[in-house]
Amino acid sequence: MDDSDRLTKYIPIVHFIGEILGKNCEVVLHDVTKPDNSIVEIVNGHISGRKVNGPITDLALKVLKDKNYKDKHFICNYESVGKSKKPFRSSSYYIKDENNEIIGMICVNVDLSDLISARSVIEDAIMLANFTTMASNEPNHTEQQKSALDLNVLESFEDNIEDLLLSLIKGVLSESEIAPERMSPKEKIDVVRKLNEKGVFLLKGGVSEVAKHLEASEATIYRYLNKIK
């Protein structure tokens, strides 16, 4: 049985979770061995605008690169955001093979928009807008939440590979005050290193897209990759 057949068995579970949690909950089954079109099944895809054969997320790429799935089965209740900037509470379950290598993920994304609007109305009505701040000055994260926070990624959902690449590349370039055309080779290598850590080069077209934004040749990007490995 290959990985695709194994993941097919999880499709009913995706629909099961979706039926339980309702229309404000998106449930996605990813085949992480195919990051360019990883979405195998999706329920309530209207929430993020994604469809079957859509790409993997930035956080999932980070999981693949860091291999933090080796000693964990799931991560829970981390923040994510859709293209419309809607806030989500997300959780991901790792599907692994007999060698403890990840082959898929079941991701549950709850749209918090209505809840946040309702909370605002309630807080205004009872004049307790500052209650949570007064109640505790320290966040209380579970271990699984901390593991998601350790990834240092606010997960975002893109509906195609081009938008995902663009989001990741622009995110790294925005950290620098120097425009790509003025960067030294050392500075460009640092950009390539950061993009590699985010899993950009696991995606089809990653090298050519990075080369375009850094105003360098693809051969140069491959040379930079060899230097940082």
Side-chain angles (χ1 to χ4, degrees):
M1 181 182 295
D2 62 20
D3 291 343
S4 296
D5 291 333
R6 291 176 183 174
L7 291 174
T8 299
K9 294 165 53 178
Y10 288 87
I11 290 177
I13 296 176
V14 169
H15 289 270
F16 173 63
I17 296 171
E19 286 289 330
I20 292 173
L21 298 181
K23 65 179 183 179
N24 287 331
C25 176
E26 177 187 73
V27 189
V28 190
L29 175 63
H30 286 282
D31 179 349
V32 301
T33 68
K34 302 173 182 177
D36 298 333
N37 53 350
S38 69
I39 298 180
V40 176
E41 186 66 298
I42 185 167
V43 172
N44 293 328
H46 64 276
I47 290 177
S48 69
R50 294 180 295 168
K51 300 176 181 178
V52 170
N53 291 325
I56 202 168
T57 68
D58 45 7
L59 183 136
L61 280 173
K62 183 73 169 167
V63 167
L64 294 180
K65 286 296 294 183
D66 292 352
K67 295 186 181 295
N68 81 326
Y69 58 82
K70 290 284 191 178
D71 58 352
K72 298 181 179 68
H73 296 296
F74 54 84
I75 49 176
C76 287
N77 299 324
Y78 55 87
E79 295 179 11
S80 55
V81 62
K83 290 190 71 173
S84 62
K85 304 305 178 184
K86 283 185 177 180
F88 295 92
R89 185 181 72 243
S90 298
S91 300
S92 294
Y93 176 81
Y94 303 144
I95 302 171
K96 306 179 193 180
D97 63 15
E98 61 274 9
N99 298 314
N100 201 35
E101 292 296 335
I102 189 169
I103 60 172
M105 297 171 70
I106 294 178
C107 302
V108 179
N109 308 304
V110 180
D111 182 359
L112 300 178
S113 303
D114 291 346
L115 292 174
I116 290 172
S117 297
R119 183 183 67 182
S120 178
V121 171
I122 293 170
E123 286 177 344
D124 287 344
I126 61 177
M127 300 175 67
L128 284 176
N130 295 321
F131 176 74
T132 45
T133 304
M134 295 166 58
S136 173
N137 291 321
E138 294 295 329
N140 183 22
H141 298 298
T142 68
E143 286 304 311
Q144 293 298 333
Q145 283 176 302
K146 289 176 182 176
S147 67
L149 293 170
D150 288 343
L151 289 169
N152 196 29
V153 176
L154 173 61
E155 186 175 32
S156 58
F157 306 129
E158 305 294 349
D159 54 15
N160 60 71
I161 193 72
E162 292 80 12
D163 287 350
L164 176 57
L165 279 169
L166 187 62
S167 173
L168 289 165
I169 294 169
K170 283 190 171 181
V172 170
L173 289 177
S174 69
E175 297 172 8
S176 174
E177 297 179 356
I178 304 171
E181 63 269 19
R182 293 174 46 235
M183 286 182 176
S184 66
K186 183 178 179 181
E187 288 164 336
K188 289 185 178 182
I189 288 173
D190 188 52
V191 169
V192 170
R193 178 184 57 77
K194 290 178 180 178
L195 290 171
N196 185 53
E197 290 172 353
K198 291 179 179 293
V200 164
F201 301 107
L202 296 174
L203 300 171
K204 183 178 180 180
V207 170
S208 61
E209 198 65 25
V210 171
K212 182 172 70 176
H213 281 82
L214 286 183
E215 299 189 6
S217 67
E218 292 185 22
T220 298
I221 301 302
Y222 280 117
R223 190 168 68 250
Y224 290 164
L225 284 169
N226 286 331
K227 285 185 177 182
I228 64 178
K229 288 180 179 178

